[in-house]
Structures are given as C-alpha cells and as structure tokens.
Amino acid sequence: MKKYQITGGLPLSGKIRIQGSKNAVLPMMAASVLQKETVELKGCPKISDVFCMEKMLQSLGAQTAWEGDTLQICCREISGELPETRLAGKLRSSILFLGSLLGRSGYGRIGSPGGCSIGRRPTDLHEMALRALGAGVTKTENGITAYAGKLSGNHIRFPKSSVGATENAILAAVCAEGTTVLSGCAREPEVQWLCRFLRRMGASVEGESRGCVIIRGQKRLHGCTFQVPPDRIAAGTWILAGAAVRGAVELDRVPVEELETVLKVYRKMGGQYRVSGDKLFTDSSRVGRAVPYVETESYPGFPTDLQSPLLAAAATLSGKTIVRETVFEDRFAAVRELRKMGARTQIRGPLIEMEKSRLRGAQVAAGDLRGGAALVIAALAAEGNTEVEQVQYIERGYERFPEQLQQLGARIRMIEE
Ligand code: UD1
C-alpha cells in the first residue's frame, strides 16, 4: 500500500507544466479501435487510468508501445470481447468501448464499468443512445453486451447532459450508415477534443461546441497522430492548491479559456493572475475571502471534479463557503475526511458548507481521485503532519503528483508498505 506523508505550512512556488488530459485521452484510446491502422497520441499522461485503458486495448488484441510520452496503438486485429471482465470494473471509461466496438464490428462486450464512487452512475443514457442507433443492448451483473447487424443514423435527444453518453453515441455513430443528429449533448471540452480527434481520423462530425452534434457516417476511418490537450482539471487543482497555501505558482501549457469559471472563483477569493500565451502566473498572496456560493454544473459551469479541491481551499478562507453539488449525488467522501483534519464543514443534502478552520495534520484516506487531491491540498495548508492513505486513487489521474509538489517546495514523500 502506498501513502503520502505531508508536512504542512509551506507556501508553494515555482513552475508546473500541465499534464495531458485524462478525460480527453481515455475516449481517444477507446476511439482508436474504430480504425485498422495506428493511432499515435503525443503527450499522453502516464497515469494509472491510461495504463488500465492500455491493458484493455491489449486484451482486445491491439498492440501498444510507448516512446517517451507518445503512446502508439495499432488496431489491425481487434476482437469484440473484452475477455478480462475485471479490467472494465477499474474505470468508468471502459464503457466507451461499447460504442467504438459496435462502430468497428457491430459487436461489443465488456465487464461492468467501474469508476470512482461518487454517486449511482447509471448507464441508461449510454444504452438509450446505442439502441436508438439500432443496437441491441443487454446488461447483466457481469457486464454489458451490445450488438447490431447494422448501425443506422438517427435523431437522438439526451434528456440530461452526460459526457460519457455523448461520447459513446458519437463513437457508435461515426461509422454508422447515414446521418446522426445528437441534441442535448454535453459540451465539455473533452467531448470537443474527441470530435477533433475523430475528424483527424477521417470522421465527419460537427456542431459539438453548440451541444448539437451532426455526424455523417463514414465507411472507414484511418490512423492519425494527435497531441493530447492539457488537463483543465489538473490545472484547476494546482490553482486551488496555490490558493490554499497562498503560493505563487506558474503554470505552463494551460487551457486558460477552459478555466474561465474556475478563474472567476479564484479571483473572488482574492487570487490574482496574469496570462501570457498558454502560461498562467498565479499569485495567491491576497487570497483570503470566502466565496459565499458556488454551484457545480456541466461545462461551462464550475466543474464537479474541482468541488472537493475547492472545499479544501475554502477551509482556509475567512467566512463561509457554500457549494451545491448538482452533478453527482454522493461526492462528499473528501468532506468527511477533511473533518478529521479539523475542517468545520456540514453536508445538508446537496449543499456543503465550509467555514474557516484550523486545519491540523491527521491520518486520512482518499476515497476517490479528486477527493484525494483535496486531502493533499488540505494537508499542505494544515499545521503538522498528515498521512494520506489509498493514494492509488490519486494516481489514477495525477502524473507524478508528489514529485510535482516537491518541485514547488512542498514537503511530501511517498511511502510504500
Ligand atoms: C465524466 C468525467 C468525470 C466528470 C463527469 C461530469 C470522464 C472519464 N469522466 O464522467 O470526471 O466528473 O464527466 O463532468 O470523462 N448519468 C445518468 N445516466 C447515464 C450517464 C450519466 O443519469 O447513462 C448521470 C450521472 O449519474 C451524473 C450525470 O449524468 O449525475 C453526469 O454524468 P456524466 O457526464 O455521464 O459523467 P461521466 O461521463 O461518467
């Protein structure tokens, strides 16, 4: 078991280069099975979710190779069945193979998808979209199977914004016969990046930035080389970590336009920043005021993935912050752990209140990826030593997290028992 030992109380300063985006690259990896040549993903983050997705690709028959931070995926021969059902349970994005395998060969079978436990996470919208394209979908406790003699374009309206279901529908539709129109789609940047990537593979996809995606099915897609975009959630995590310890962090390769809402909240706390090209210079020396109310929302709203890191920073601000979680029903594991560190916080339904707290080192455990990052942020701001256990959750999405923090002057070390 791995854990982090952190001594709090030091400001962060220095430079960080933002890693490639986890939520953008995972759908691209799933999409690679739609073509029979080689896809090259440059700037691919070396995180455990990517390694797990790579294992799934290999178990489907793909050949993969790393050259530095470029991941090559050759999909000449692919089977429709993911034989190791256990693998699919390790992350949520495994469900995206249903859409892409259907698109490739009309048949996909995977184990039940997993992911961080942050709520119920049903798959009804994924199933609805695949059925609307002509697939039969059956779900058992062991997994999901989708099959179609032929996929045909259709008009599909999502009653609720879902990133994964939008991506799955697009993946299934790009090689379907005829035109598909998807409305009510999620507009998250990662959906938009998937569309750009698919166009590079020869797909005809448009309209994704407006939430209405029009796809003209193509017979065949081809290999391509693509640069994985920077991770807006990782960038947001660094901004909030800097805020919690009043640091001055320079972020390199930042998707500034994707962070508008996060930077607005940061400004309200008293944070200052300057943008130069894709660099963001943050100065948190004047951070101190609580932001009274923040609601998580689908893009371009405040991302639910930064709810826990925001609350960790909020524990250091004067006054009360109220955050309303509107996306997931049970994304509060970190809040419960933060209490062990002295956080004055309450959960009332979807509302979380956080008051200025005297954070003290404690023994805590990550229960999900972003909640784990929040515990590390709180530990950096706390008096004394904190041990964060179950850091395998953090490693799902953050590349070299302790090393990057050390680079900014934090006292953190990883212990493997
Ligand atoms: C993706 C992100 C995750 C982020 C989330 C919301 C990846 C790998 N993960 O997750 O980091 O927190 O978007 O921005 O990209 N829902 C249904 N039925 C479905 C599917 C979803 O009711 O079939 C609900 C979910 O329970 C949730 C909401 O829709 O309440 C949004 O979920 P969704 O956008 O699908 O999240 P993910 O794609 O799983």
Side-chain angles (χ1 to χ4, degrees), residues 9 25 32 57 99 129-130 161-162 169 171 178 205 256 279 285 314 342-343 353 368 370 383 389 408 411:
V25 79
S32 65
L57 279 164
L130 299 182
S161 169
S162 160
L171 290 171
V205 186
V256 180
K279 288 189 178 20
S285 55
E353 296 177 5
D368 64 276
R370 307 301 171 186
E383 288 166 26
E389 295 177 335
L408 295 179
R411 282 178 63 191

Coordinates of all heavy atoms in Angstrom, one line a residue, residues 9 25 32 57 99 129-130 161-162 169 171 178 205 256 279 285 314 342-343 353 368 370 383 389 408 411:
G9 N 2.1 23.8 5.9 CA 2.6 25.1 6.4 C 3.5 25.8 5.5 O 3.9 26.9 5.7
V25 N -8.0 12.0 -23.1 CA -7.2 10.9 -23.8 C -8.0 9.5 -23.7 O -7.9 8.7 -24.6 CB -5.8 10.8 -23.2 CG1 -5.7 10.1 -21.9 CG2 -4.9 10.0 -24.2
S32 N -9.7 4.6 -30.8 CA -8.7 4.1 -31.7 C -9.1 2.8 -32.4 O -8.6 2.4 -33.4 CB -7.3 4.0 -31.0 OG -7.4 3.0 -30.0
L57 N -7.1 -2.3 -24.2 CA -6.8 -2.4 -25.6 C -6.0 -3.6 -26.0 O -6.3 -4.3 -27.0 CB -6.0 -1.1 -26.0 CG -6.9 0.2 -26.2 CD1 -6.0 1.4 -26.3 CD2 -7.7 0.1 -27.5
G99 N -19.4 1.7 -27.6 CA -19.7 2.5 -28.8 C -18.7 2.2 -29.9 O -19.0 2.0 -31.1
A129 N -28.9 5.6 -26.2 CA -28.3 6.2 -27.5 C -27.9 5.0 -28.4 O -28.1 5.0 -29.6 CB -27.1 7.0 -27.2
L130 N -27.3 3.9 -27.8 CA -26.9 2.8 -28.7 C -28.1 2.1 -29.3 O -28.1 1.7 -30.5 CB -26.0 1.8 -27.9 CG -24.7 2.4 -27.3 CD1 -23.9 1.4 -26.6 CD2 -23.8 3.0 -28.4
S161 N -27.5 16.2 -19.6 CA -26.2 16.3 -20.1 C -25.3 15.2 -19.5 O -25.1 15.1 -18.3 CB -25.6 17.7 -19.8 OG -24.3 17.7 -20.1
S162 N -24.8 14.3 -20.4 CA -23.8 13.3 -19.9 C -22.6 13.3 -20.8 O -22.8 13.1 -22.1 CB -24.5 11.9 -19.9 OG -23.5 10.9 -19.9
A169 N -22.2 7.8 -27.9 CA -23.1 7.9 -29.1 C -22.3 8.3 -30.3 O -22.5 7.8 -31.4 CB -24.2 8.9 -28.8
L171 N -19.1 7.9 -30.8 CA -18.2 6.7 -31.3 C -19.0 5.7 -32.1 O -18.5 5.2 -33.1 CB -17.6 6.1 -30.0 CG -16.6 6.9 -29.3 CD1 -16.2 6.2 -28.0 CD2 -15.3 7.1 -30.1
G178 N -25.6 6.5 -42.8 CA -26.4 7.7 -42.8 C -26.0 8.7 -41.7 O -24.9 8.7 -41.2
V205 N -17.8 15.0 -38.3 CA -18.5 15.3 -37.1 C -18.5 16.9 -37.0 O -17.5 17.5 -37.2 CB -17.8 14.8 -35.9 CG1 -18.6 15.0 -34.6 CG2 -17.4 13.3 -36.0
V256 N -6.4 28.1 -20.8 CA -7.0 29.2 -20.0 C -8.5 29.4 -20.3 O -9.3 29.5 -19.4 CB -6.2 30.5 -20.3 CG1 -6.8 31.7 -19.5 CG2 -4.8 30.3 -19.9
K279 N 0.7 30.4 -20.7 CA 1.2 30.4 -19.4 C 0.3 31.2 -18.4 O -0.3 32.2 -18.8 CB 2.6 31.0 -19.3 CG 3.7 30.2 -19.9 CD 5.0 30.9 -19.6 CE 6.2 30.2 -20.1 NZ 6.1 29.3 -21.2
S285 N -1.2 35.6 -2.8 CA -0.8 36.3 -1.6 C -2.0 37.0 -1.0 O -2.0 37.3 0.2 CB 0.4 37.2 -1.8 OG 0.1 38.1 -2.9
A314 N -11.3 26.3 0.6 CA -12.3 27.1 1.3 C -12.1 27.1 2.8 O -12.4 28.0 3.5 CB -13.7 26.7 0.9
G342 N -9.9 18.7 11.1 CA -10.4 19.9 11.8 C -11.3 20.8 11.0 O -11.6 21.9 11.4
A343 N -11.6 20.4 9.8 CA -12.5 21.2 8.9 C -13.9 21.4 9.6 O -14.5 20.4 10.0 CB -12.6 20.6 7.5
E353 N -21.3 23.1 3.4 CA -20.9 24.3 4.0 C -19.5 24.2 4.5 O -19.2 23.1 5.1 CB -21.8 24.7 5.2 CG -23.2 25.0 4.7 CD -24.1 25.3 6.0 OE1 -23.5 25.4 7.1 OE2 -25.3 25.5 5.8
D368 N -11.7 8.8 -3.5 CA -11.9 9.0 -5.0 C -10.7 9.9 -5.4 O -10.1 10.5 -4.6 CB -13.2 9.6 -5.3 CG -13.4 11.0 -4.7 OD1 -13.8 11.1 -3.5 OD2 -13.2 11.9 -5.4
R370 N -10.4 12.9 -7.2 CA -10.4 14.4 -6.9 C -10.5 14.7 -5.4 O -9.9 15.6 -4.9 CB -11.5 15.1 -7.7 CG -11.5 14.8 -9.2 CD -10.2 15.2 -9.9 NE -10.2 14.7 -11.3 CZ -9.2 14.7 -12.1 NH1 -8.0 15.2 -11.7 NH2 -9.3 14.3 -13.3
E383 N -1.5 22.5 9.9 CA -0.3 22.5 10.8 C 0.1 21.1 11.0 O -0.8 20.2 11.3 CB -0.8 23.1 12.2 CG -1.0 24.5 12.2 CD -1.7 24.9 13.5 OE1 -1.6 24.2 14.5 OE2 -2.4 26.0 13.4
E389 N -3.7 8.1 3.0 CA -3.7 6.7 2.5 C -4.5 6.5 1.3 O -5.2 7.4 0.9 CB -4.2 5.8 3.6 CG -3.3 5.8 4.9 CD -3.8 5.0 6.0 OE1 -5.1 4.8 6.1 OE2 -3.0 4.6 6.8
L408 N 7.6 22.3 -6.2 CA 7.0 23.6 -5.8 C 7.4 23.9 -4.4 O 6.9 24.9 -3.8 CB 5.5 23.6 -6.0 CG 4.9 23.5 -7.4 CD1 3.4 23.5 -7.3 CD2 5.4 24.6 -8.3
R411 N 6.7 19.7 1.3 CA 7.3 18.6 1.9 C 6.4 17.4 1.9 O 5.4 17.3 2.7 CB 7.7 18.9 3.4 CG 9.0 19.8 3.4 CD 9.4 20.2 4.7 NE 9.7 19.1 5.6 CZ 9.9 19.3 6.9 NH1 9.8 20.5 7.5 NH2 10.3 18.3 7.7

